[in-house]
Amino acid sequence: MAEIASNIPPILPEQVPVAEETAISPWKEAWKSFKKNKLAIVGLSIVTFFVLLAIVAPLIAPYEFADQKLSDKHLAPSGEHWFGTDEFGRDILSRIIYGSRISLWVGFISVAGSVFAGSFLGIIAGYYGKWVDTIISRVFDIILAFPSILLAIAVVSVLGPSLQNALVAIAIINVPTFGRLLRSRVLSVKEEEYITAAKAIGMKDSRILIHHILPNSLAPIIVQGTLAIATAIIECAALGFLGMGAQAPTPEWGKMLADSRAFILQAPWTVLFPGLAIMLTVLGFNLMGDGLRDALDPRMKN
């Protein structure tokens, strides 16, 4: 028996069969959770529709947005003009299709500028603290002390009314939102053990910020950025309605509302369809932003 036992080879730990565990990426898990949210999918569908509309605008618009035909002014919706015409005989459907380009462009570009500037200032304030944090935080407090639309009007008044200046104004008023968000995130992340270890081995601050702190702060930026695009579209429309944004004949939805408000009883379709375009676009981004928040925030998961 002793000889038989001695001839049996020992079972090494690495030879023991172990069930393989498939590691799921956090982003794949977030997408899986996002797909389960029906309202979020509706929002994504609406946003995708308007993005595609903006991309193929020259191909599907039945008329040029600036074509005028005074003999066709204020025509009711029909087979020739699905959304009717305005006071200059311009096709409203074509102007709304081209207007999607302007609204989405302002939304994406202004929010991108806000994210870049706000993230930079917020990370610097949260990581270095002390007097740097005090100065940057007080600047954020000053900007947030003013109602956003009034501050945007003030900025455009100084720079001059135009679509580009409206974009700059919208970007400026949204900087504190991302700055304070990143500052609070950095204050919690920089106390983690891996940040302490990175400092202990002599890693440069710039490398720590770019390779460790910023990647761990992307989730709240994505959620807030999506919601901020909806806000930017509303603010762009508000500035256009007040004559501080896009100028004629640019087919910006807020400007279209402003030009048609005098004919709301005579030709209600001139106000109805641009207003619906604004409402649907903002609704889409809000639904998608809520879905991203639920998918990326661990506290929202069961």
Side-chain angles (χ1 to χ4, degrees), residues 19-298:
E20 294 184 358
E21 295 183 1
T22 57
I24 301 177
S25 168
W27 296 105
K28 289 183 179 180
E29 185 180 355
W31 170 243
K32 186 177 180 181
S33 176
F34 181 86
K35 290 191 297 183
K36 295 180 180 178
N37 191 329
K38 294 182 180 180
L39 289 179
I41 295 299
V42 171
L44 178 61
S45 302
I46 295 174
V47 171
T48 302
F49 170 77
F50 279 100
V51 170
L52 293 177
L53 197 68
I55 294 174
V56 300
L59 300 178
I60 64 174
Y63 303 91
E64 287 294 326
F65 67 86
D67 287 350
Q68 300 183 14
K69 191 175 181 181
L70 295 179
S71 60
D72 290 342
K73 69 176 183 179
H74 288 159
L75 291 180
S78 62
E80 185 177 0
H81 299 281
W82 288 6
F83 287 1
T85 60
D86 61 9
E87 69 273 18
F88 296 107
R90 297 174 297 194
D91 184 66
I92 294 178
L93 174 60
S94 300
R95 291 178 63 78
I96 289 178
I97 292 175
Y98 277 97
S100 63
R101 284 185 160 189
I102 297 172
S103 295
L104 293 177
W105 177 72
V106 171
F108 283 114
I109 299 300
S110 63
V111 170
S114 300
V115 169
F116 179 79
S119 299
F120 175 77
L121 294 175
I123 288 177
I124 296 300
Y127 187 77
Y128 291 103
K130 299 181 181 179
W131 62 270
V132 177
D133 184 19
T134 301
I135 294 175
I136 294 177
S137 296
R138 295 297 79 77
V139 172
F140 289 163
D141 291 340
I142 292 173
I143 296 176
L144 292 172
F146 297 92
S148 59
I149 189 63
L150 292 181
L151 183 59
I153 292 173
V155 173
V156 175
S157 299
V158 173
L159 299 178
S162 70
L163 184 62
Q164 290 74 16
N165 292 338
L167 188 153
V168 172
I170 294 171
I172 290 175
I173 63 178
N174 286 319
V175 166
T177 302
F178 292 96
R180 297 182 72 176
L181 176 65
L182 263 294
R183 175 185 174 273
S184 63
R185 183 66 179 169
V186 171
L187 288 175
S188 61
V189 172
K190 75 175 184 178
E191 302 298 331
E192 298 290 340
E193 293 182 358
Y194 62 89
I195 300 296
T196 305
K199 293 179 180 178
I201 64 176
M203 188 177 291
K204 294 182 179 180
D205 291 344
S206 58
R207 186 175 178 83
I208 293 175
L209 292 173
I210 295 174
H211 293 278
H212 293 288
I213 293 181
L214 186 58
N216 285 282
S217 305
L218 286 179
I221 294 177
I222 293 173
V223 174
Q224 185 59 41
T226 305
L227 297 173
I229 292 175
T231 304
I233 292 174
I234 294 179
E235 291 166 344
C236 177
L239 291 174
F241 185 84
L242 296 173
M244 308 291 288
Q247 303 298 309
T250 305
E252 195 274 320
W253 294 337
K255 179 64 176 173
M256 292 174 65
L257 288 175
D259 294 339
S260 303
R261 65 181 184 274
F263 311 105
I264 189 171
L265 296 179
Q266 178 183 352
W269 55 86
T270 58
V271 178
L272 174 64
F273 293 112
L276 285 176
I278 296 172
M279 183 200 72
L280 287 175
T281 307
V282 172
L283 177 64
F285 278 105
N286 282 334
L287 291 177
M288 189 172 69
D290 289 340
L292 288 173
R293 180 199 60 197
D294 296 344
L296 295 175
D297 190 350

